[in-house]
Amino acid sequence: MLFHCGNFQFDLTRPLVMGIVNVTPDSFFDGGLHLQGRDALSHAQQLIAEGADILDIGGESTRPGAQPVSIQEELDRVLPVIEGLRGTPVPISIDTFKPEVMRAAIVAGAQMVNDIDALQDPAAMDAVAGSNVAVCLMHKQGKPQTMQQQPEYQNVVAEVSAFLSARVAATEAAGIHRTRIVIDPGFGFGKTLAHNLALLRELKRLTELGVQLLAGLSRKSMLGALTGQDAGHRLPASIAAALIAVQRGAGIVRVHDVRATVDALKVLTAVNGDAA
Ligand code: 7PJ
């Protein structure tokens, strides 16, 4: 299945690794480490050297309870990093739900928009439709500040699938070709451990929507709940989760630990061949 990401094209005969570059002071795992644009840039370059296929640049933390950031502050954080990465051999994704930030990032060279609001804001839909960039449509229940307080579903897999199916339809209706669309169940976004496990167990169901599938499990609290480890000690669990996600249909994994994930996926891909 082809994946068009701005000027880049992937055939997805092997899974892609999206490296996370946080330019935020309050991300739960590496927040603060890459606060300075210069540090974020060198971190991004390191992830490329480690084998990242895509970089996801984010200037506002969306973890549960995170504080909102103004448009200007977010632009001041992400634009220098995106501009500094111009001409790099991998596409840059902008992790934002703000249409103004999407537009400025696309002008600065971003090739993908990663929207935890799944382009439900018409201005966000316009920003992507008026360009050639790819988009990741993510499911969440509620708002980041309160979403983990009481997540509720009758059937989490069916509800997430129905939401994503409707968002794919709306996105296609706006003129965005399906080879530019990625869906994501949004692990940890308004979901209990049982909800997250059900989604991972039945991830294959989401491949029925016929677009690329991304999974973001890296160092998330569900892995802490399963292992008893804090975020700094969740690498083994994150590798396990990435392998499970790819075996169940994810074509892209969003991770902090690029080199370790790339190595683990090489083993899987060698065993599976082109069926990975
Ligand atoms: C995700 C994300 C995810 C997508 C975050 C974290 C929390 N974007 N942004 N999917 N998670 N598409 O990195 O743990 O799972 S922020």
Side-chain angles (χ1 to χ4, degrees):
M1 189 176 13
L2 278 184
F3 173 46
H4 285 116
C5 193
N7 305 325
F8 292 81
Q9 180 176 312
F10 297 99
D11 60 11
L12 268 293
T13 50
R14 64 170 179 85
L16 303 179
V17 173
M18 171 188 265
I20 301 170
V21 180
N22 286 319
V23 203
T24 55
D26 60 350
S27 286
F28 80 101
F29 170 53
D30 56 0
L33 284 183
H34 311 296
L35 176 59
Q36 302 294 331
R38 206 158 26 98
D39 291 352
L41 196 54
S42 61
H43 182 61
Q45 281 154 348
Q46 184 191 328
L47 296 187
I48 295 172
E50 291 181 10
D53 299 291
I54 307 173
L55 292 180
D56 193 36
I57 316 287
E60 174 169 13
S61 173
T62 45
R63 77 192 160 120
Q67 290 308 306
V69 172
S70 73
I71 293 170
Q72 192 57 53
E73 173 70 28
E74 196 174 332
L75 289 171
D76 290 345
R77 291 178 183 182
V78 298
L79 287 184
V81 180
I82 297 171
E83 284 162 1
L85 288 168
R86 241 186 214 290
T88 47
V90 307
I92 305 303
S93 160
I94 174 69
D95 183 355
T96 189
F97 55 86
K98 298 193 185 82
E100 299 86 348
V101 176
M102 292 174 190
R103 285 185 190 280
I106 291 167
V107 170
Q111 315 264 350
M112 178 168 177
V113 166
N114 174 21
D115 181 11
I116 62 162
D117 275 343
L119 301 184
Q120 291 179 95
D121 181 338
M125 186 67 85
D126 283 352
V128 174
S131 74
N132 70 343
V133 308
V135 64
C136 180
L137 306 169
M138 198 195 78
H139 174 275
K140 66 174 162 33
Q141 184 177 90
K143 299 207 180 311
Q145 287 79 12
T146 53
M147 66 192 176
Q148 287 308 100
Q149 284 170 12
Q150 212 170 31
E152 260 181 42
Y153 302 84
Q154 296 293 317
N155 179 332
V156 67
V157 177
E159 287 170 48
V160 167
S161 176
F163 171 84
L164 292 174
S165 173
R167 295 314 303 152
V168 169
T171 303
E172 280 194 282
I176 299 165
H177 195 265
R178 38 201 310 117
T179 56
R180 290 167 58 196
I181 303 176
V182 180
I183 53 170
D184 177 350
F187 290 103
F189 284 83
K191 282 135 194 144
T192 64
L193 175 60
H195 296 142
N196 288 317
L197 287 174
L199 285 166
L200 185 52
R201 189 178 298 121
E202 296 185 53
L203 198 62
K204 265 253 141 69
R205 294 255 314 264
L206 297 180
T207 64
E208 292 163 13
L209 301 184
V211 295
Q212 291 301 334
L213 176 59
L214 181 149
L217 292 145
S218 183
R219 305 211 178 231
K220 282 194 174 169
S221 61
M222 64 178 279
L223 303 179
L226 294 172
T227 60
Q229 302 285 2
D230 63 26
H233 295 92
R234 294 177 193 159
L235 176 57
S238 299
I239 297 294
L243 290 182
I244 294 166
V246 169
Q247 284 185 298
R248 295 177 188 221
I252 308 172
V253 285
R254 182 181 178 276
V255 305
H256 299 91
D257 306 280
V258 169
R259 192 187 303 276
T261 308
V262 166
D263 280 359
L265 289 174
K266 279 182 180 165
V267 178
L268 181 63
T269 303
V271 173
N272 286 357
D274 280 359

